[in-house]
PDB file of all heavy atoms in Angstrom:
ATOM      1  N   ALA W1673     136.262 113.638 147.959  1.00 94.00           N
ATOM      2  CA  ALA W1673     136.492 112.270 147.502  1.00 94.00           C
ATOM      3  C   ALA W1673     137.530 112.279 146.376  1.00 94.00           C
ATOM      4  O   ALA W1673     137.789 113.325 145.760  1.00 94.00           O
ATOM      5  CB  ALA W1673     135.175 111.662 147.017  1.00 94.00           C
ATOM      6  N   PRO W1674     138.167 111.128 146.091  1.00 95.00           N
ATOM      7  CA  PRO W1674     139.150 111.068 145.005  1.00 95.00           C
ATOM      8  C   PRO W1674     138.598 111.642 143.700  1.00 95.00           C
ATOM      9  O   PRO W1674     137.441 111.423 143.346  1.00 95.00           O
ATOM     10  CB  PRO W1674     139.433 109.567 144.882  1.00 95.00           C
ATOM     11  CG  PRO W1674     139.225 109.054 146.266  1.00 95.00           C
ATOM     12  CD  PRO W1674     138.063 109.841 146.807  1.00 95.00           C
ATOM     13  N   ALA W1675     139.452 112.396 142.999  1.00 95.00           N
ATOM     14  CA  ALA W1675     139.041 113.152 141.818  1.00 95.00           C
ATOM     15  C   ALA W1675     139.328 112.391 140.533  1.00 95.00           C
ATOM     16  O   ALA W1675     140.121 111.444 140.507  1.00 95.00           O
ATOM     17  CB  ALA W1675     139.765 114.496 141.787  1.00 95.00           C
ATOM     18  N   VAL W1676     138.669 112.841 139.450  1.00 95.00           N
ATOM     19  CA  VAL W1676     138.920 112.325 138.106  1.00 95.00           C
ATOM     20  C   VAL W1676     139.916 113.271 137.449  1.00 95.00           C
ATOM     21  O   VAL W1676     139.576 114.406 137.099  1.00 95.00           O
ATOM     22  CB  VAL W1676     137.611 112.258 137.283  1.00 95.00           C
ATOM     23  CG1 VAL W1676     137.894 111.696 135.892  1.00 95.00           C
ATOM     24  CG2 VAL W1676     136.573 111.408 138.003  1.00 95.00           C
ATOM     25  N   VAL W1677     141.168 112.841 137.310  1.00 94.00           N
ATOM     26  CA  VAL W1677     142.231 113.736 136.857  1.00 94.00           C
ATOM     27  C   VAL W1677     143.027 113.103 135.719  1.00 94.00           C
ATOM     28  O   VAL W1677     142.987 111.889 135.487  1.00 94.00           O
ATOM     29  CB  VAL W1677     143.183 114.107 138.015  1.00 94.00           C
ATOM     30  CG1 VAL W1677     142.429 114.865 139.097  1.00 94.00           C
ATOM     31  CG2 VAL W1677     143.836 112.863 138.597  1.00 94.00           C
ATOM     32  N   LEU W1678     143.773 113.939 135.020  1.00 92.00           N
ATOM     33  CA  LEU W1678     144.625 113.485 133.930  1.00 92.00           C
ATOM     34  C   LEU W1678     145.733 112.576 134.454  1.00 92.00           C
ATOM     35  O   LEU W1678     146.361 112.881 135.475  1.00 92.00           O
ATOM     36  CB  LEU W1678     145.237 114.687 133.199  1.00 92.00           C
ATOM     37  CG  LEU W1678     144.261 115.560 132.415  1.00 92.00           C
ATOM     38  CD1 LEU W1678     144.932 116.874 132.029  1.00 92.00           C
ATOM     39  CD2 LEU W1678     143.770 114.835 131.167  1.00 92.00           C
ATOM     40  N   ASP W1679     145.953 111.489 133.766  1.00 90.00           N
ATOM     41  CA  ASP W1679     146.991 110.544 134.156  1.00 90.00           C
ATOM     42  C   ASP W1679     148.352 111.229 134.124  1.00 90.00           C
ATOM     43  O   ASP W1679     148.710 111.880 133.138  1.00 90.00           O
ATOM     44  CB  ASP W1679     146.975 109.348 133.198  1.00 90.00           C
ATOM     45  CG  ASP W1679     147.889 108.229 133.672  1.00 90.00           C
ATOM     46  OD1 ASP W1679     148.257 108.234 134.851  1.00 90.00           O
ATOM     47  OD2 ASP W1679     148.211 107.359 132.852  1.00 90.00           O
ATOM     48  N   GLY W1680     149.096 111.113 135.190  1.00 88.00           N
ATOM     49  CA  GLY W1680     150.430 111.719 135.252  1.00 88.00           C
ATOM     50  C   GLY W1680     150.498 112.965 136.096  1.00 88.00           C
ATOM     51  O   GLY W1680     151.589 113.407 136.470  1.00 88.00           O
ATOM     52  N   CYS W1681     149.346 113.585 136.404  1.00 90.00           N
ATOM     53  CA  CYS W1681     149.339 114.805 137.213  1.00 90.00           C
ATOM     54  C   CYS W1681     149.688 114.470 138.666  1.00 90.00           C
ATOM     55  O   CYS W1681     149.116 113.556 139.260  1.00 90.00           O
ATOM     56  CB  CYS W1681     147.963 115.478 137.171  1.00 90.00           C
ATOM     57  SG  CYS W1681     147.801 116.692 135.854  1.00 90.00           S
ATOM     58  N   GLU W1682     150.627 115.229 139.213  1.00 91.00           N
ATOM     59  CA  GLU W1682     150.983 115.095 140.620  1.00 91.00           C
ATOM     60  C   GLU W1682     150.365 116.263 141.388  1.00 91.00           C
ATOM     61  O   GLU W1682     150.412 117.405 140.927  1.00 91.00           O
ATOM     62  CB  GLU W1682     152.508 115.095 140.797  1.00 91.00           C
ATOM     63  CG  GLU W1682     153.217 113.947 140.081  1.00 91.00           C
ATOM     64  CD  GLU W1682     152.812 112.593 140.648  1.00 91.00           C
ATOM     65  OE1 GLU W1682     152.468 112.540 141.845  1.00 91.00           O
ATOM     66  OE2 GLU W1682     152.847 111.598 139.902  1.00 91.00           O
ATOM     67  N   PHE W1683     149.783 115.974 142.563  1.00 92.00           N
ATOM     68  CA  PHE W1683     149.053 116.993 143.303  1.00 92.00           C
ATOM     69  C   PHE W1683     149.623 117.210 144.703  1.00 92.00           C
ATOM     70  O   PHE W1683     150.146 116.283 145.331  1.00 92.00           O
ATOM     71  CB  PHE W1683     147.572 116.601 143.435  1.00 92.00           C
ATOM     72  CG  PHE W1683     146.796 116.739 142.163  1.00 92.00           C
ATOM     73  CD1 PHE W1683     146.786 115.716 141.229  1.00 92.00           C
ATOM     74  CD2 PHE W1683     146.088 117.903 141.885  1.00 92.00           C
ATOM     75  CE1 PHE W1683     146.072 115.840 140.045  1.00 92.00           C
ATOM     76  CE2 PHE W1683     145.381 118.040 140.712  1.00 92.00           C
ATOM     77  CZ  PHE W1683     145.376 117.010 139.787  1.00 92.00           C
ATOM     78  N   LYS W1684     149.511 118.459 145.141  1.00 89.00           N
ATOM     79  CA  LYS W1684     149.840 118.818 146.517  1.00 89.00           C
ATOM     80  C   LYS W1684     148.804 119.821 146.995  1.00 89.00           C
ATOM     81  O   LYS W1684     148.640 120.896 146.399  1.00 89.00           O
ATOM     82  CB  LYS W1684     151.238 119.426 146.607  1.00 89.00           C
ATOM     83  CG  LYS W1684     151.643 119.761 148.051  1.00 89.00           C
ATOM     84  CD  LYS W1684     153.058 120.312 148.117  1.00 89.00           C
ATOM     85  CE  LYS W1684     153.435 120.616 149.567  1.00 89.00           C
ATOM     86  NZ  LYS W1684     154.803 121.170 149.658  1.00 89.00           N
TER      87      LYS W1684
END
Side-chain angles (χ1 to χ4, degrees):
V1676 181
V1677 297
L1678 292 167
D1679 189 17
C1681 269
E1682 299 296 331
F1683 287 85
K1684 183 178 181 181

